[in-house]
Amino acid sequence: MKHEILNELNLVEDHERECKLATGGLPESIWETYSSFANTNGGTILLGIKEHRDSFTVEGLTDKQIVKYQKDFWSTLNDRNKVSKNILLNHHVRPVAVEGKKILRIDVPAADRHDKPVYIGTDPMKGTYKRDYEGDFLCTEEAVRQCLQTREMYLVMWKCWMSLDWMC
């Protein structure tokens, strides 16, 4: 059953996927998952699917839930007091049908170097997550500092590159 659902969604079985049942609203833990996917290799969040150890149960979402979850998701994602950076485009968040039921699929790409770290809240030291195996883990302050230094070096190199006179 698990493999059939993954095939239907064109997903492979890996650790860049997170299922959340989401029956009572947009799960609060979605933001840790968004941060961790953005800061590592990207991934897919599936709302409306309950994941067991070796299987999935597609519970589905109503049309009303999908509209509300999309509105709440985009609203929070674009609030800089809640999430540091929106790296998604409209096509990254969409309803899809699985086993005759609707779910909400959110494809989170890996953030570009100049956008990292992607964090929750206003303090990168307390809101930056990474994905390890099947979980979202808070980054150490040292890891966040390294990420910020890498971003700063990238921005300096970019400014130098752009300041060169290419019209010789």
Side-chain angles (χ1 to χ4, degrees):
M1 179 66 122
K2 185 175 185 178
H3 297 288
E4 290 84 7
I5 294 170
L6 290 173
N7 286 338
E8 193 170 337
L9 292 168
N10 292 322
L11 292 173
V12 296
E13 183 157 5
D14 59 19
H15 307 299
E16 281 90 31
R17 174 196 19 80
E18 182 76 22
C19 296
K20 297 183 183 292
L21 187 55
T23 54
L26 200 60
E28 203 51 45
S29 65
I30 197 170
W31 304 113
E32 287 88 355
T33 304
Y34 171 78
S35 171
S36 71
F37 282 162
N39 290 323
T40 51
N41 300 321
T44 300
I45 301 168
L46 302 169
L47 301 180
I49 296 181
K50 184 176 182 180
E51 186 170 7
H52 312 282
R53 284 192 151 213
D54 294 321
S55 66
F56 293 142
T57 302
V58 180
E59 297 292 333
L61 301 170
T62 65
D63 289 337
K64 187 175 179 181
Q65 284 175 309
I66 288 173
V67 169
K68 180 174 178 12
Y69 292 0
Q70 284 179 306
K71 182 180 177 191
D72 292 348
F73 182 80
W74 286 112
S75 178
T76 301
L77 189 61
N78 289 300
D79 182 343
R80 291 301 144 254
N81 291 314
K82 296 185 179 177
V83 181
S84 67
K85 184 79 175 175
N86 173 4
I87 61 169
L88 302 185
L89 300 172
N90 287 339
H91 71 271
H92 289 121
V93 181
R94 64 190 187 284
V96 295
V98 179
E99 295 184 343
K101 298 177 183 175
K102 291 183 184 175
I103 65 166
L104 192 58
R105 177 179 177 148
I106 303 168
D107 292 311
V108 181
D112 291 333
R113 282 183 282 182
H114 64 274
D115 290 331
K116 290 181 182 181
V118 174
Y119 54 91
I120 301 164
T122 57
D123 185 353
M125 298 300 178
K126 296 180 181 172
T128 301
Y129 288 79
K130 65 178 179 172
R131 188 77 172 179
D132 279 334
Y133 193 58
E134 293 180 350
D136 305 320
F137 297 94
L138 190 63
C139 290
T140 64
E141 287 190 13
E142 179 59 31
V144 175
R145 273 194 285 283
Q146 270 187 316
C147 191
L148 291 168
Q149 287 172 343
T150 300
R151 178 176 74 180
E152 197 60 37
M153 286 186 339
Y154 176 82
L155 291 174
V156 168
M157 290 185 331
W158 176 253
K159 286 177 185 176
C160 289
W161 180 263
M162 294 308 293
S163 70
L164 294 174
D165 185 7
W166 292 102
M167 303 301 233
C168 301

